[in-house]
Structure formats: structure tokens, C-alpha cells
């Protein structure tokens, strides 16, 4: 049982002192986010498959509301009606504050297997679609890599300064275990699927299992990983230097993904042509998490900022134009408003569209019971009954 306010590094340090245990949940915000925040936003963490969301790593929780405290029962599983604790996951502070939780911990992995596969194309986007087909086959093959990240080659070049990948996509694969003695069978299985679609396995072989304390630290995968963990700092620096950068993430079924991917790229490319971005705009995609029925695409854009010679900064307007263009395509193709970044206020337009006919009324009734005065995180998920916004 842990307090909702404990930060990621403090949690892992504490668990390591008690039998080398771990929660094994590492979002990019790990350093500066808390267990309560992860639960309230239904965050996505370390695992690319199987345990993608924090939902599956929590057993029960306590929530403090304006009208009282509610504790859910600690159980390994239950079929007794709608899940009470899951009702609070993703509530984003609108129903109360998550003060503590029982979480599912595990032993730290003792062995790992890592591999990198390159899919070449005429452009990095061609390579990405080829890699996406390989990821689809892996996700439906009955094995669960802990890492299965497909990265656009242009993003790889930007993050690593390795220019060989400009017209490719790169698939970063990993398995890990604290119980098994060997992971070669699983790795060789997924690599055979990649080779069947033309993937080039770097440092190819048949033996992949290693006893190491960390993930891949070498090659393009290691370089990208270091850049990824520094991403938040790099973005802040880019803004100070007059650039515009941000991300969008979603999830969509495999049958819709290829057309959706092409449509969202076309929409942003057309917008970049119109915007005052000093002739520079880059829009790339990677898969952060994958499911047997679809991927979670994560889009990153970097462009020149619309800043006039007299110092007028139009980057917020510029950003919202890109945001609206992407959102319109997401709505058209039935993608979710967010896979793991939460709704907040920014995604409300899309969130309202994707919900069923009765859901908003039902959630409003739930909020009224927990928060009769509607003072908890107003205008998030729901409009205040007396709102003028």
C-alpha cells in the first residue's frame, strides 16, 4: 500500500530496499509525477504490450471527496457489477483526490533480450507502414515484448543525429523476465516475423538473452532511449530558441490505421505549407503501446515558430491550428482523444464526440454525488451546470 503523493523515483527506491522489488511503471514524466496522478489520469507506462496502462497494476484505492472518504475493497479480481475502483481511474480529480492505493509490484527483471530492426522505404513514412505491419503480426502472435516501439526514421535522426535512418523506420524490441532462464525463443519468433516483411535485424544472430541491469544502452536504440528520456528538457529548450514543438497521441484499430496515418500526415503537411514557420516543419510518428487489435500512435511535430520581426509571438495560434487539424482527422477515423495523456481541457472537444449518448449524463450524476458543489477540477471532463464557458 502506498500514498498517492509519492513520486516515481521515491517509490522505486523504497521498493528496491525490500527484496529488490519494483512497480515497473516508467512514464516519461516519472521523475516529476506521483502514483495518485498516474491513477487519476489512467497513464501508460513501461510496458508496450500486456500491461500497457496503470489500470492493470492497481488493486484498490482510497479517494477523498468533498462529502467523505471512499475505500474500494482489495481483491485480486471481481465480477460484482461495474468496477468501483476503475470508476475512479481516469477521473482526473473531478470526483476527489486519490490518497492511497494498493499496487501490484514484482521482482526486478534479471534477464533481458534486446534487438533492433530497420524497415527501409523510399521515405521514412513508407518504412513506417512496413514496420507497422510487422508490429501488427507481433501483437497478434501470442508473445508480449516489454518494448515494441516503432519509430519514424526522421525522428530517429533528430533524436540521435544518426543520418542513416532518414528513409526508414526503426523497431526497438525487448523482452525481460525475473523467472525464466532464456528469452531467445520469443525474440527469434518475433524477429522471424520482421524478416518476413523485409526487416533488417541489426547485429543479427540467434542468441539474445543477457543478464543485465538495464535496457539497451548501445547502438541506435540506446541513443534514441537517451534522447527520449531527455525529451521534456529538449522541448523546453526548443521553445526558448523560437521553435514550436508538441505531441499528439491516440489509439486506433489496425484496419483503420494505414488510411488514418496517411490522412493525418497529409493534413499536417498541408498546414505546414500555409503557416509562417520559416520553411521548416517535421511531423513524425512512433508506436508507444500496441494491442492485438490496434496500435497507439504518438505523433511529434517540430516547426519554426511564427514570430514576427517586431517580436509578435503567434505560436499559440500556430499550435492550435495543428492541434485542430489532427483532432479533425482523429474524429473522422474514430480514434480516441487520448491513449495515455488524459483529457484535461485541451482534448474536451474530441472527448465529448467519442462518448456514447448517455455517458455524459451518467458521469454528471456520479460527480454530483461525490462533489455536490462541483468544485473539484471544474470544466475537466464535464461542463459545470452553470458554466458560461
Amino acid at each position: 500500500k502506498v500514498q498517492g503523493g509519492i513520486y516515481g523515483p521515491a517509490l522505486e527506491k523504497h521498493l528496491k530496499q525490500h527484496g529488490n522489488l519494483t512497480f515497473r511503471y516508467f512514464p516519461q514524466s516519472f521523475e516529476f509525477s506521483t502514483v495518485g496522478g498516474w491513477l487519476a489520469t489512467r497513464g501508460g507506462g513501461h510496458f508496450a504490450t500486456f500491461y500497457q496502462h496503470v489500470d492493470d497494476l492497481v488493486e484498490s484505492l482510497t479517494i477523498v471527496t468533498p462529502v467523505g472518504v471512499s475505500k474500494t475493497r482489495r481483491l485480486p479480481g471481481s465480477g460484482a457489477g461495474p468496477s468501483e475502483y476503475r470508476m475512479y481511474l481516469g477521473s482526473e480529480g473531478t470526483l476527489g483526490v486519490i490518497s492511497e492505493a494498493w499496487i501490484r509490484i514484482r521482482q526486478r527483471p534479471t534477464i533481458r533480450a534486446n534487438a533492433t530492426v530497420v524497415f527501409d522505404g523510399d521515405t521514412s513514412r513508407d518504412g513506417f507502414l512496413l514496420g507497422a505491419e510487422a508490429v501488427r503480426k507481433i501483437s497478434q502472435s501470442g508473445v508480449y515484448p516489454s518494448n515494441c516501439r516503432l519509430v519514424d526514421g526522421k525522428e530517429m535522426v533528430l533524436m540521435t543525429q544518426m543520418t542513416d535512418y532518414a528513409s526508414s523506420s526503426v523497431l526497438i524490441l525487448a523482452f525481460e523476465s525475473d523467472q525464466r532462464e532464456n528469452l531467445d525463443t520469443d525474440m527469434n519468433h518475433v524477429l522471424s516475423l520482421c524478416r518476413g516483411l523485409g526487416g533488417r535485424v541489426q547485429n543479427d544472430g540467434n542468441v539474445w538473452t543477457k543478464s543485465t541491469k538495464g535496457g539497451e544502452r548501445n547502438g541506435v536504440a540506446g541513443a534514441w532511449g537517451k534522447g527520449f528520456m531527455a525529451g521534456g528538457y529538449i522541448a523546453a529548450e526548443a521553445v526558448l530558441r523560437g521553435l514550436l514543438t508538441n505531441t499528439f497521441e491516440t489509439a486506433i484499430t489496425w484496419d483503420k490505421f494505414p488510411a488514418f496515418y496517411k490522412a493525418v500526415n497529409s493534413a499536417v503537411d498541408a498546414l505546414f505549407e500555409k503557416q509562417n514557420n520559416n520553411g521548416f516543419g517535421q511531423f513524425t510518428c512512433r508506436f508507444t503501446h500496441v494491442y492485438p487489435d490496434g496500435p497507439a500512435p504518438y505523433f511529434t511535430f517540430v516547426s519554426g515558430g511564427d514570430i514576427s520581426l517586431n517580436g509578435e509571438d503567434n505560436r499559440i495560434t500556430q499550435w492550435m491550428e495543428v492541434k485542430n487539424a489532427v483532432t479533425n482527422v482523429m474524429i473522422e477515423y474514430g480514434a480516441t482523444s487520448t491513449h495515455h495523456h488524459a483529457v484535461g481541457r485541451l482534448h474536451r472537444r474530441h472527448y465529448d464526440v467519442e462518448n456514447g449518448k448517455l455517458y455524459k449524463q451518467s458521469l454528471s450524476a456520479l460527480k454530483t454525488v461525490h462533489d455536490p458543489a462541483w468544485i473539484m477540477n471544474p470544466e475537466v471532463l464535464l461542463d459545470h451546470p452553470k458554466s458560461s464557458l
Side-chain angles (χ1 to χ4, degrees):
K1 184 168 70 172
V2 299
Q3 298 296 302
I6 190 170
Y7 283 86
L11 173 65
E12 286 297 319
K13 180 180 179 180
H14 179 77
L15 291 174
K16 191 174 183 179
Q17 295 171 351
H18 294 270
N20 211 32
L21 301 172
T22 178
F23 189 37
R24 211 77 189 125
Y25 179 87
F26 300 111
Q28 195 175 25
S29 61
F30 176 74
E31 288 181 87
F32 307 109
S33 56
T34 65
V35 170
W38 300 340
L39 303 186
T41 56
R42 291 187 67 198
H46 169 77
F47 293 103
T49 66
F50 204 71
Y51 292 118
Q52 293 96 332
H53 275 98
V54 75
D55 308 33
D56 301 312
L57 302 174
V58 61
E59 199 173 56
S60 68
L61 56 81
T62 300
I63 187 167
V64 180
T65 81
V67 294
V69 177
S70 185
K71 292 186 177 183
T72 69
R73 181 166 293 185
R74 185 187 175 204
L75 295 167
S78 173
S83 172
E84 183 184 2
Y85 83 89
R86 285 182 180 267
M87 177 176 71
Y88 298 121
L89 298 176
S91 58
E92 299 189 21
T94 60
L95 303 178
V97 176
I98 297 173
S99 61
E100 63 182 21
W102 282 93
I103 58 175
R104 295 185 170 102
I105 58 176
R106 64 188 66 219
Q107 292 286 334
R108 292 174 182 267
T110 54
I111 60 170
R112 292 176 173 84
N114 302 284
T116 303
V117 186
V118 180
F119 295 90
D120 298 312
D122 293 332
T123 68
S124 64
R125 290 175 180 174
D126 293 333
F128 194 89
L129 286 173
L130 189 60
E133 179 60 15
V135 172
R136 182 189 67 80
K137 287 181 176 291
I138 291 171
S139 70
Q140 296 173 350
S141 69
V143 296
Y144 300 99
S146 57
N147 198 359
C148 189
R149 280 182 168 82
L150 181 67
V151 185
D152 185 298
K154 287 188 175 180
E155 178 180 332
M156 192 62 75
V157 171
L158 185 66
M159 298 289 276
T160 68
Q161 305 304 305
M162 297 181 180
T163 58
D164 294 344
Y165 303 97
S167 60
S168 308
S169 69
V170 179
L171 178 59
I172 302 171
L173 290 164
F175 291 89
E176 62 184 40
S177 177
D178 67 293
Q179 298 289 331
R180 297 171 59 184
E181 295 181 358
N182 195 288
L183 300 168
D184 292 345
T185 299
D186 287 350
M187 182 61 84
N188 284 320
H189 171 65
V190 300
L191 291 179
S192 70
L193 297 176
C194 294
R195 294 188 192 99
L197 288 166
R200 293 188 290 111
V201 182
Q202 295 192 335
N203 301 314
D204 205 351
N206 294 310
V207 179
W208 303 97
T209 304
K210 298 178 181 179
S211 298
T212 61
K213 293 183 178 181
E216 184 58 65
R217 297 290 186 267
N218 301 313
V220 66
W224 181 85
K226 292 174 185 175
F228 169 77
M229 293 309 295
Y233 302 99
I234 294 172
E237 177 69 15
V239 171
L240 293 175
R241 292 178 179 270
L243 295 173
L244 179 64
T245 180
N246 218 304
T247 61
F248 313 94
E249 44 78 48
T250 187
I252 192 167
T253 54
W254 285 117
D255 60 315
K256 296 178 180 178
F257 174 73
F260 165 74
Y261 175 75
K262 293 175 183 177
V264 74
N265 278 309
S266 295
V268 176
D269 288 347
L271 187 59
F272 280 164
E273 289 292 327
K274 299 177 183 178
Q275 289 185 330
N276 177 25
N277 55 21
N278 298 311
F280 172 67
Q282 179 171 295
F283 188 68
T284 58
C285 183
R286 68 176 181 261
F287 288 165
T288 59
H289 304 80
V290 293
Y291 302 82
D293 44 351
Y298 190 108
F299 297 96
T300 301
F301 83 90
V302 183
S303 74
D306 184 357
I307 304 175
S308 65
L309 292 177
N310 64 8
E312 183 180 355
D313 193 335
N314 299 309
R315 283 181 293 177
I316 292 178
T317 299
Q318 185 184 6
W319 142 247
M320 287 308 301
E321 288 175 349
V322 180
K323 163 67 177 170
N324 288 331
V326 172
T327 296
N328 289 341
V329 178
M330 288 181 178
I331 291 172
E332 179 184 353
Y333 282 85
T336 183
S337 55
T338 176
H339 174 264
H340 60 270
H341 279 183
V343 176
R345 294 172 176 83
L346 189 62
H347 300 319
R348 270 291 307 278
R349 177 170 73 91
H350 186 173
Y351 176 71
D352 289 345
V353 172
E354 73 177 285
N355 288 327
K357 182 179 179 180
L358 302 178
Y359 181 75
K360 196 170 183 178
Q361 293 170 276
S362 301
L363 186 58
S364 295
L366 188 64
K367 181 170 176 61
T368 299
V369 170
H370 288 73
D371 178 21
W374 284 59
I375 60 173
M376 300 298 295
N377 220 2
E379 307 301 332
V380 171
L381 301 183
L382 294 164
D383 294 327
H384 191 285
K386 297 180 181 180
S387 174
S388 59
L389 297 179

